[in-house]
Amino acid sequence: MKLLFFISSLSSGGAERVTVTLANYWAAKGTDVVIVTVTGEDLDFYPLHPAVRRIGLALDGVSRGSLEGIANNYRRVVALRAILVKERPSIAIALMPAANVLLVLASMGMGIPTIGSERVHPPCMPLGRLWESARRLCYGRLRAIVAQTELSANWLAENSTAERDRITVIPNPVTLPLLASRPSLVLAECKRDMGYKRILLAVGRLDRQKGFDRLIDGFAQLADQQPEWGLVILGEGEQRSALEAQCRANGVEARVCLPGSVGNVGECYDAADLYVMTSRFEGFPNTLLEALAHGLPSVAVDCETGPSEILRHEVDGLLVPQDDSAALVGALERLMMDDELRKSFGKRAVEARQRFAVERVARMWEKLFSNV
């Protein structure tokens, strides 16, 4: 079997990590795997198995209008089709809406089974009128679609030409140790240099979706009561300046560290004491899954999809309602103050390694391959 993955890039995102994890798993088992991206290879963040073949189209870039956007996407379709003709994969898999649509257009008339994959609950991230229309029309031409939750699967069936029996729910996998790359951060040194005894850790892009603004507000309410704790937020994004200003306004700039994106996030999970996820929306958040797999007790905002499928309330962490700042502060305070409860949750958290093991998730994908 030859598998071809198509995705926008292999930068430091959740869909990218899933792509690399699955590709590396199958490549290690002798499957012929090729990954194609719209970008070149210069943005690659995660290390690939030596047997994975890599093709970067280097056709990314921002379009300055609708006509230029159509022209750019036409070039991407032509380039992808040429690769499909050359590679003739047994199955082609796309991840994220734009890639799903481009794969449909590039593979038309070729007879190659195609699988699309959504990585965020669709209504939470509107695509704009043109791409929404393209998704609605093109998804019916995919042989199968992978959603991460039942709610997302039902939405896709109601809002596209895809039939519900072609939409399969498959969670994200986790594999340990996590793939490591540079830059590296020694969280223990961060703890020592800033005078922390305990670390509250968060990971994600610095954008509105991840809700770090409400995390900083919540931490500021606890800072005086919890002098041993510091907050570390790993990630980069357009909200950095706003979040730094928010820390200063709350008087916690010395207690909050924003070191940017790091390649050794697994070591950071191991060095932290508590994990927190405050996203306004998600698909199936890898960071929460990874934190639990490292035995890190967690607090997560129960956004519409994702957290409740991963974290077991009062078993390995605490779920708090969306847009309830008091509940978030209360959950964080409860775990910050209770060493034994953190230990108890951490012992159960590692069960995520089996619940979402890459071998188990890969078998779900392989069953889908057989069906298509």
Side-chain angles (χ1 to χ4, degrees):
M1 178 178 285
K2 178 188 286 189
L3 298 177
L4 183 146
F5 288 89
F6 178 56
I7 188 171
S8 176
S9 77
L10 286 185
S11 60
S12 59
E16 293 85 351
R17 183 185 284 279
V18 170
T19 301
V20 170
T21 298
L22 291 173
N24 286 350
Y25 173 81
W26 283 312
K29 290 187 168 295
T31 302
D32 189 355
V33 180
V34 58
I35 297 179
V36 182
T37 60
V38 175
T39 66
E41 299 178 36
D42 55 307
L43 295 178
D44 288 8
F45 186 79
Y46 302 112
L48 290 169
H49 188 282
V52 175
R53 291 183 295 118
R54 179 77 176 83
I55 301 173
L57 300 180
L59 291 174
D60 52 323
V62 178
S63 302
R64 292 170 293 183
S66 297
L67 292 178
E68 185 177 358
I70 291 170
N72 287 339
N73 282 304
Y74 175 77
R75 284 191 284 270
R76 293 163 187 156
V77 168
V78 170
L80 178 58
R81 186 175 181 87
I83 292 170
L84 293 172
V85 169
K86 179 181 178 181
E87 296 289 339
R88 275 298 185 187
S90 308
I91 296 173
I93 306 155
L95 293 95
M96 304 295 284
N100 296 337
V101 170
L102 295 178
L103 178 61
V104 168
L105 298 175
S107 63
M108 288 181 68
M110 297 185 67
I112 296 173
T114 54
I115 299 175
S117 179
E118 288 276 351
R119 315 312 298 173
V120 174
H121 186 45
C124 292
M125 188 176 284
L127 304 177
R129 186 172 60 182
L130 183 60
W131 280 107
E132 290 282 1
S133 298
R135 173 164 60 186
R136 186 177 302 109
L137 295 172
C138 289
Y139 274 25
R141 292 182 172 272
L142 291 163
R143 194 71 62 86
I145 301 171
V146 172
Q148 296 173 300
T149 64
E150 290 289 341
L151 191 63
S152 295
N154 292 334
W155 188 95
L156 288 167
E158 295 169 1
N159 292 273
S160 76
T161 52
E163 298 176 359
R164 181 62 181 85
D165 60 3
R166 289 196 178 191
I167 305 173
T168 301
V169 176
I170 301 179
N172 287 350
V174 66
T175 181
L176 297 181
L178 292 180
L179 300 173
S181 60
R182 294 186 180 277
S184 296
L185 173 71
V186 181
L187 203 58
E189 291 181 1
C190 180
K191 184 186 297 189
R192 183 193 65 220
D193 293 345
M194 303 192 74
Y196 306 151
K197 291 186 177 179
R198 305 287 187 190
I199 291 289
L200 173 62
L201 180 67
V203 182
R205 293 184 312 278
L206 305 185
D207 61 16
R208 185 181 181 279
Q209 175 193 346
K210 300 303 180 180
F212 295 137
D213 53 329
R214 55 189 183 183
L215 171 57
I216 290 171
D217 281 343
F219 180 76
Q221 294 181 48
L222 294 167
D224 290 341
Q225 306 166 38
Q226 306 293 333
E228 295 185 343
W229 285 82
L231 171 62
V232 176
I233 303 175
L234 303 181
E236 196 53 81
E238 68 275 6
Q239 280 201 335
R240 168 174 286 278
S241 296
L243 294 175
E244 290 173 339
Q246 185 181 359
C247 290
R248 291 191 295 271
N250 279 296
V252 292
E253 64 271 25
R255 303 278 299 278
V256 180
C257 179
L258 295 113
S261 296
V262 302
N264 64 328
V265 66
E267 294 175 4
C268 295
Y269 291 131
D270 288 334
D273 299 279
L274 178 62
Y275 186 76
V276 59
M277 195 198 80
T278 52
S279 298
R280 291 181 167 89
F281 62 91
E282 283 287 350
F284 198 90
N286 287 323
T287 61
L288 179 59
L289 176 55
E290 293 162 0
L292 293 174
H294 280 82
L296 196 53
S298 301
V299 172
V301 171
D302 192 15
C303 52
E304 195 169 11
T305 62
S308 62
E309 282 85 5
I310 299 172
L311 189 151
R312 298 167 299 180
H313 184 60
E314 296 285 358
V315 175
D316 44 28
L318 299 174
L319 290 169
V320 299
Q322 182 73 274
D323 299 320
D324 190 335
S325 59
L328 174 62
V329 170
L332 289 173
E333 183 178 28
R334 179 182 170 195
L335 280 169
M336 285 177 169
M337 295 181 65
D338 195 333
D339 292 350
E340 291 304 314
L341 184 59
R342 291 200 309 275
K343 290 178 183 178
S344 174
F345 284 174
K347 288 179 181 178
R348 297 297 304 274
V350 296
E351 294 170 7
R353 299 176 187 180
Q354 284 73 45
R355 293 165 56 214
F356 302 102
V358 63
E359 296 83 2
R360 182 178 181 183
V361 174
R363 284 196 297 270
M364 299 171 74
W365 278 94
E366 289 160 3
K367 180 179 179 181
L368 179 61
F369 296 161
S370 297
N371 291 341
V372 301

